[in-house]
Amino acid sequence: MEPRLSDTFANSRRGATEVKNDNLELQTWSDLPAELLQIIMSQLALDDNVRASVVCKSWYSVANAVRVVNQSPWLMYFPKFGQWYEFYDPVQRKTYSIEFPELNGSRVCYTKDGWLLLYRPRTDRVFFFNPFTRETIKMPRFEMTYQIVAFSCAPTSPDCVLFTVKHVSPTVVAISTCHPGATEWTTVNYQNRLPFVSSIWNKLVFCNGLFYCLSLTGWLGVFDPSEHTWSVLSVPPPKCPENFFAKNWWKGKFMTEQEGDVIVIYTCSSENPIIFKLDQALMEWEELKTLDGATLFASFLSSHSRIDLPGKMRNNIYFSKVRFYGKRCISFSLDDYRYYPRKQWHDWGEQDPFESIWIEPPKDFSGFT
């Protein structure tokens, strides 16, 4: 008796299913799609990423591509009252609460290389504090009225210099400097060229051996600590749309250094941020449409730049505001050209500029114990 056509189809389907099942059984973890592996690997901490990379060649390739070479800065919150400080890790989206009674009565001035620079208004005491090691380095007393202060590198380095500038008259600025181990601050008056006007809204950054000071109106002053010179660059302010100069626009400006370049970020409410790089050859501001994989961390007093962070964080700006009960930091993606979470842009006029700041944990730091 010849087999029926329906039986032939059934046997064919049964054979195909058995072959498919045999193929599935032969598949291993190394056969996972690269796109899925990237998503998984980008969520791993550095030590877990290294462990995963030794499984096989395909895992090594993906793990190495998304590996966190640099430690992401953490966002540190300063309480209005009490001694408990919060740290937010944007990679793991975790928050830590730590008690620092040694910071009582102080306000933050600047951060760099994992160190805080703080000031006690009641006593004019200036000091460095490392929240990850709890080490303190005292500096000579100095009265800071309406000034922003910055430093060049970690206070444990012999090259560390502190810098601040204020106006004495329209054509004269007073620049004060100090270094760890000094017994007093040095203040020298320099001739100043308008339209640079110093104020509490200055943005300071140390880049290529120079302190750059962005004024309220967008003009750049430059101080050379080795040559003890002050100059105002003939670079017109960055060009922004008129609507960027709305209420509290001065609080939405940020400046940082990225691999030898001075970077400025302008924000305005729901408008997309505008990023500029100082072209020192042409002496003009160049608008950037991409960060080429870098990540910027913007806060009022000091901002930071990082490369080689997890893939999802690259080409993004992270701002000093956390939403959704500490689960998500406000960021702007230059790839998607929008804020995350959606419509979660921030009005900087509503935020106390001294309440939070980005700070760099030590390399491979996994959290407070």
Side-chain angles (χ1 to χ4, degrees):
M1 180 178 178
E2 294 184 4
R4 291 179 299 175
L5 186 60
S6 58
D7 293 336
T8 302
F9 281 133
N11 291 334
S12 177
R13 284 196 299 269
R14 188 180 304 111
T17 301
E18 289 172 356
V19 170
K20 185 177 181 180
N21 289 337
D22 288 340
N23 288 338
L24 287 174
E25 289 176 0
L26 292 173
Q27 286 184 334
T28 65
W29 286 105
S30 62
D31 296 315
L32 281 175
E35 295 80 7
L36 179 57
L37 272 175
Q38 286 181 349
I39 295 173
I40 297 171
M41 297 287 188
S42 66
Q43 302 293 326
L44 299 180
L46 179 61
D47 52 349
D48 292 328
N49 176 289
V50 172
R51 293 188 190 100
S53 69
V54 300
V55 171
C56 60
K57 288 184 177 180
S58 62
W59 280 40
Y60 171 81
S61 177
V62 174
N64 190 54
V66 301
R67 180 168 297 162
V68 184
V69 176
N70 265 325
Q71 172 79 49
S72 165
W74 288 11
L75 187 60
M76 181 177 180
Y77 278 93
F78 289 75
K80 293 186 181 299
F81 308 100
Q83 303 174 355
W84 287 90
Y85 295 74
E86 290 189 342
F87 293 81
Y88 174 76
D89 176 359
V91 176
Q92 302 296 329
R93 295 184 182 177
K94 290 182 179 180
T95 300
Y96 304 88
S97 294
I98 308 296
E99 189 175 18
F100 291 127
E102 51 267 69
L103 301 188
N104 274 350
S106 64
R107 64 173 172 83
V108 65
C109 299
Y110 202 77
T111 67
K112 191 176 179 70
D113 296 340
W115 286 83
L116 297 164
L117 181 64
L118 301 115
Y119 174 64
R120 282 198 175 95
R122 289 186 179 181
T123 61
D124 290 333
R125 172 63 70 189
V126 181
F127 64 102
F128 287 99
F129 181 75
N130 188 321
F132 307 103
T133 64
R134 304 189 86 118
E135 184 179 356
T136 299
I137 298 176
K138 293 181 179 180
M139 298 297 297
R141 296 178 191 273
F142 184 73
E143 183 180 355
M144 294 186 201
T145 50
Y146 299 101
Q147 296 163 254
I148 299 295
V149 61
F151 58 98
S152 59
C153 56
T156 51
S157 166
D159 299 322
C160 180
V161 178
L162 286 78
F163 162 82
T164 186
V165 57
K166 71 175 182 178
H167 253 79
V168 175
S169 71
T171 59
V172 177
V173 293
I175 291 179
S176 301
T177 58
C178 196
H179 60 85
T183 56
E184 62 182 6
W185 288 68
T186 300
T187 300
V188 179
N189 289 349
Y190 292 86
Q191 288 297 309
N192 180 65
R193 185 172 64 83
L194 295 175
F196 180 91
V197 178
S198 181
S199 71
I200 195 173
W201 308 111
N202 289 347
K203 302 298 176 185
L204 302 179
V205 70
F206 186 75
C207 179
N208 295 327
L210 304 173
F211 284 101
Y212 288 83
C213 181
L214 184 72
S215 74
L216 176 66
T217 52
W219 292 88
L220 267 182
V222 181
F223 178 70
D224 186 333
S226 60
E227 299 294 331
H228 305 286
T229 58
W230 168 259
S231 60
V232 177
L233 299 185
S234 300
V235 181
K239 294 180 180 179
C240 292
E242 286 296 325
N243 58 345
F244 267 65
F245 300 99
K247 181 182 178 182
N248 296 318
W249 60 271
W250 55 87
K251 290 187 177 180
K253 286 194 305 184
F254 311 92
M255 184 165 70
T256 188
E257 178 270 344
Q258 180 185 327
E259 297 189 312
D261 289 318
V262 175
I263 304 294
V264 171
I265 307 164
Y266 276 69
T267 67
C268 179
S269 298
S270 60
E271 299 292 329
N272 290 333
I274 304 178
I275 308 171
F276 298 94
K277 180 181 76 173
L278 179 63
D279 187 326
Q280 305 215 35
L282 299 177
M283 294 302 283
E284 64 182 21
W285 290 103
E286 172 192 351
E287 184 175 346
L288 299 180
K289 297 296 184 181
T290 179
L291 295 173
D292 295 323
T295 309
L296 303 183
F297 297 85
S299 51
F300 180 79
L301 295 170
S302 61
S303 300
H304 305 272
S305 171
R306 282 291 174 275
I307 59 172
D308 295 331
L309 291 181
K312 62 180 180 178
M313 298 183 72
R314 296 174 187 176
N315 224 30
N316 276 263
I317 308 169
Y318 281 77
F319 294 99
S320 54
K321 191 67 178 179
V322 178
R323 298 290 199 193
F324 300 118
Y325 306 100
K327 295 298 182 183
R328 191 73 182 266
C329 193
I330 293 179
S331 63
F332 182 83
S333 168
L334 276 81
D335 291 329
D336 303 331
Y337 220 67
R338 75 170 182 88
Y339 278 97
Y340 284 91
R342 189 178 292 276
K343 296 182 180 181
Q344 287 295 318
W345 50 269
H346 186 59
D347 182 358
W348 298 105
E350 298 175 355
Q351 182 171 342
D352 178 358
F354 298 95
E355 78 174 21
S356 61
I357 196 168
W358 290 104
I359 185 169
E360 303 147 307
K363 191 175 181 179
D364 302 338
F365 186 78
S366 58
F368 293 98
T369 55

